């Protein structure tokens, strides 16, 4: 059981996780690349935490607050990476010299093929230590930072799939964090966690297809309720079908969006349009205030690109995904295919499905 944790990243999620772990009695280090962002936390020695659901008001006292990555990684056996997935490769590269045998790195969340990318970059940058990298399917908290040293957790998800690379180490990771996080469950393997990535379906297309409205109102409308019209829902359904088909091509039965809505929120409907409008939790959620948002700059290259890339590798038509990736690239004046996680970039382009499966389950790299 881990009693010492390092949290990398002091955004909304990182602050919440560090404060919550500390409130549970763990010794916690918090790292952020920009020291100014954590200066107040260091001065106060921790973070004020509020959990309205349980009427909790507490102070999470932190053992270490630093912008020195070597110091942060040396502090604990379990390292929680709570950063946008677009930063995973850079963290893996920078952390490679400092990671030690037996450490566990968990990506919160991995998006799609996050753990695969992290391991590859780590190894490419000279890390020979036996480090276990794992990823969560989604972020465990709904949270926000209310100030420089304040965090609020609205909700803690009840069951979050988690998988290690290789999957033969799932139990080792779950056991290490079970005391703090009994909510994490066996996610089978990183193909399952990565291909059940619902953000890939809901976020980029919904943002891009409402681009005019977002820019005109600065996000002052209900993202899911007003934004998901029948036509928009049809696009989301096509993307979802493509994702499920890509999963099938690598031997995985992925959840459909309708199945996920039923599982996560007990919400049903004849189609995606009806199901989304039947979800009470979506009412009141505003749209992003700008198109310069992680729903595009993170979810397109780190979610849609790897799913589409796997599809193209294994013979699945992903024209819907290609269209959304292209529109995002045009609007942001960047090439998200080039910046994203492709099978070529991850060194998977020559692998058969059975080779890919053996790699994620047993860590075996075929020659």
């Amino acid at each position: 059981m881990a009693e010492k944790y390092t949290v990398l990243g002091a955004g909304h999620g990182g602050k919440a996780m560090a404060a919550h772990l500390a409130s549970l009695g763990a010794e916690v280090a918090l790292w952020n690349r920009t020291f100014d962002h954590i200066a107040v936390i260091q001065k106060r020695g921790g973070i004020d935490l509020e959990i309205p659901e349980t009427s909790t008001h507490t102070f999470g006292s932190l053992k270490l607050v630093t912008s020195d990555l070597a110091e942060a990684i040396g502090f604990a056996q379990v390292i929680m990476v709570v950063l946008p997935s677009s930063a995973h490769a850079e963290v893996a590269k920078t952390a490679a010299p400092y990671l030690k045998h037996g450490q566990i790195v968990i990506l919160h969340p991995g998006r799609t093929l996050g753990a695969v990318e992290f391991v590859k970059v780590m190894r490419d940058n000279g890390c020979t230590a036996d480090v276990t990298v794992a990823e969560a399917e989604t972020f465990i908290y709904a949270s926000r930072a209310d100030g420089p040293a304040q965090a609020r957790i609205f909700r803690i998800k009840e069951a979050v799939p988690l998988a290690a690379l290789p999957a033969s180490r799932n139990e080792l990771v779950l056991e290490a964090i079970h005391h703090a996080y009994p909510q994490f469950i066996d996610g089978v393997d990183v193909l399952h966690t990565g291909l059940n990535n619902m953000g890939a379906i809901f976020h980029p297309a919904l943002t891009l297809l409402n681009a005019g409205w977002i820019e005109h109102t600065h996000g002052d409308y209900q993202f899911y309720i007003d934004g998901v019209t029948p036509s928009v829902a049809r696009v989301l359904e096509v993307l979802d079908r493509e994702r499920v088909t890509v999963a099938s091509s690598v031997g995985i039965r992925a959840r459909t969006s309708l199945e996920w809505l039923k599982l996560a929120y007990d919400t049903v409907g004849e189609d995606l349009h009806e199901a989304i409008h039947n979800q009470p939790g979506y009412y009141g959620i505003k749209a992003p205030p700008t198109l310069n948002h992680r729903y595009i700059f993170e979810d397109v290259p780190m979610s849609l690109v790897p799913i589409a890339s796997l599809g193209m590798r294994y013979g699945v038509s992903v024209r819907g995904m290609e269209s959304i990736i292209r529109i995002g690239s045009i609007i942001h004046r960047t090439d998200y295919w080039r910046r994203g996680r492709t099978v070529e970039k991850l060194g998977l382009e020559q692998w058969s499905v059975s080779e890919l499966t053996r790699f994620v389950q047993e860590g075996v790299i075929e020659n």
Side-chain angles (χ1 to χ4, degrees):
M1 184 191 82
E3 291 175 355
K4 294 177 82 168
Y5 290 85
T6 289
V7 176
L8 302 184
H12 293 292
K15 281 186 198 168
M17 181 172 278
H20 188 223
L21 281 167
S23 75
L24 295 173
E27 292 186 25
V28 183
L30 178 65
W31 172 89
N32 197 72
R33 187 175 59 183
T34 312
F35 182 74
D36 286 356
H37 195 62
I38 49 174
V40 175
I41 299 172
Q42 191 195 57
K43 192 172 182 182
R44 297 188 68 222
I47 297 167
D48 288 310
L49 176 65
E50 185 186 348
I51 309 177
E53 202 174 32
T54 55
S55 304
T56 301
H57 292 264
T58 185
F59 181 74
S61 179
L62 304 181
K63 294 290 180 188
L64 174 68
V65 179
T66 182
S67 57
D68 181 330
L69 189 61
E71 187 181 23
I73 284 175
F75 178 83
Q77 183 218 353
V78 179
I79 295 148
M80 306 297 225
V81 180
V82 192
L83 292 161
S85 51
S86 41
H88 287 170
E90 185 56 36
V91 167
K93 181 181 175 182
T94 315
Y98 311 122
L99 288 163
K100 299 277 190 298
H101 178 78
Q103 283 185 310
I104 295 170
V105 176
I106 306 175
L107 309 177
H108 293 276
R111 299 300 172 201
T112 302
L113 300 180
V116 174
E117 177 189 57
F118 200 96
V119 167
K120 183 175 192 306
V121 173
M122 199 174 77
R123 299 284 175 240
D124 287 352
N125 284 276
C127 179
T128 55
D130 185 7
V131 176
T132 301
V133 179
E135 64 180 35
E137 188 176 289
T138 183
F139 192 49
I140 190 166
Y141 304 114
S143 61
R144 61 175 290 183
D146 286 338
Q150 287 76 33
R152 190 188 314 186
I153 294 173
F154 299 104
R155 196 165 64 87
I156 302 174
K157 294 187 176 79
E158 287 172 29
V160 178
L162 178 145
L165 182 64
S168 53
R169 297 189 180 187
N170 286 3
E171 196 52 45
L172 175 130
V173 177
L174 290 169
E175 215 168 273
I177 62 173
H178 181 76
H179 177 68
Y181 290 115
Q183 299 89 348
F184 283 109
I185 60 172
D186 192 319
V188 187
D189 60 39
V190 297
L191 286 177
H192 280 78
T193 52
L195 289 167
N196 277 311
N197 176 358
M198 294 300 157
I201 306 309
F202 286 120
H203 296 160
L206 188 47
T207 305
L208 291 164
L209 294 175
N210 285 282
W213 207 358
I214 287 171
E215 290 187 323
H216 182 66
T217 66
H218 303 292
D220 191 18
Y221 69 91
Q222 295 184 92
F223 187 53
Y224 293 100
I225 302 308
D226 302 327
V228 180
T229 60
S231 301
V232 170
R234 281 198 290 276
V235 175
L236 299 185
E237 284 172 342
V238 165
L239 299 176
D240 197 48
R241 252 194 321 274
E242 290 180 355
R243 176 184 61 82
V244 170
T245 309
V246 170
S248 182
S249 76
V250 293
I252 287 167
R253 163 72 172 87
R255 283 189 290 275
T256 66
S257 288
L258 280 175
E259 287 169 340
W260 178 78
L261 284 166
K262 170 74 176 145
L263 184 75
Y265 302 113
D266 201 24
T267 299
V268 294
E270 284 295 305
D271 55 18
L272 205 45
H273 177 259
E274 189 179 305
I276 285 169
H277 286 79
N278 285 343
Q279 210 297 78
Y282 284 155
Y283 285 80
I285 295 178
K286 292 290 180 78
T290 167
L291 291 175
N292 183 25
H293 193 272
R294 65 184 176 83
Y295 284 178
I296 303 175
F297 66 67
E298 181 181 4
D299 281 308
V300 172
M302 303 299 147
S303 298
L304 274 186
V305 167
I307 296 172
S309 183
L310 281 170
M312 291 160 88
R313 167 67 185 93
Y314 297 113
V316 178
S317 171
V318 284
R319 286 182 183 165
M321 289 188 182
E322 287 182 84
S323 304
I324 298 300
I325 293 163
R326 184 156 295 162
I327 292 168
S329 297
I330 291 167
I331 285 179
H332 277 184
R333 295 176 172 157
T334 189
D335 184 350
Y336 278 127
W337 269 112
R338 193 176 58 77
R339 286 180 52 185
R341 292 172 177 160
T342 60
V343 292
E344 292 80 13
K345 199 181 278 187
L346 298 175
L348 312 176
E349 74 273 25
Q350 301 298 325
W351 291 11
S352 67
V353 172
S354 62
E355 288 169 341
L356 181 63
T357 304
R358 280 197 74 193
F359 173 61
V360 299
Q361 291 180 355
E362 301 165 32
V364 175
I365 297 176
E366 308 281 351
N367 291 319

